[in-house]
Amino acid sequence: MSHEIESEFVADWEDENSQCCNCTSFAVEDGNCFCTESQTEVPPCGHCNFFQSID
């Protein structure tokens, strides 16, 4: 589901525990990292305020 509000995305997030690769919306499709929430390509080390931990 895409949101109309901005997600305040940061491409290089220092806190490894809350990077995109640890989010429930993170997926890898055809070798590309993808956010199912924003429906865009993202780096695995990014972060946004829609982050939800997989743990």
Side-chain angles (χ1 to χ4, degrees), residues 19-46:
Q19 290 179 346
C20 291
C21 61
N22 294 312
C23 181
T24 58
S25 298
F26 183 77
V28 178
E29 297 179 5
D30 298 326
N32 296 316
C33 301
F34 187 77
C35 175
T36 59
E37 188 72 27
S38 66
Q39 300 178 352
T40 59
E41 279 191 48
V42 295
C45 61

Side-chain angles (χ1 to χ4, degrees), residues 13 26 48 51-52:
W13 192 251
F26 183 77
C48 81
F51 176 84
Q52 292 181 348

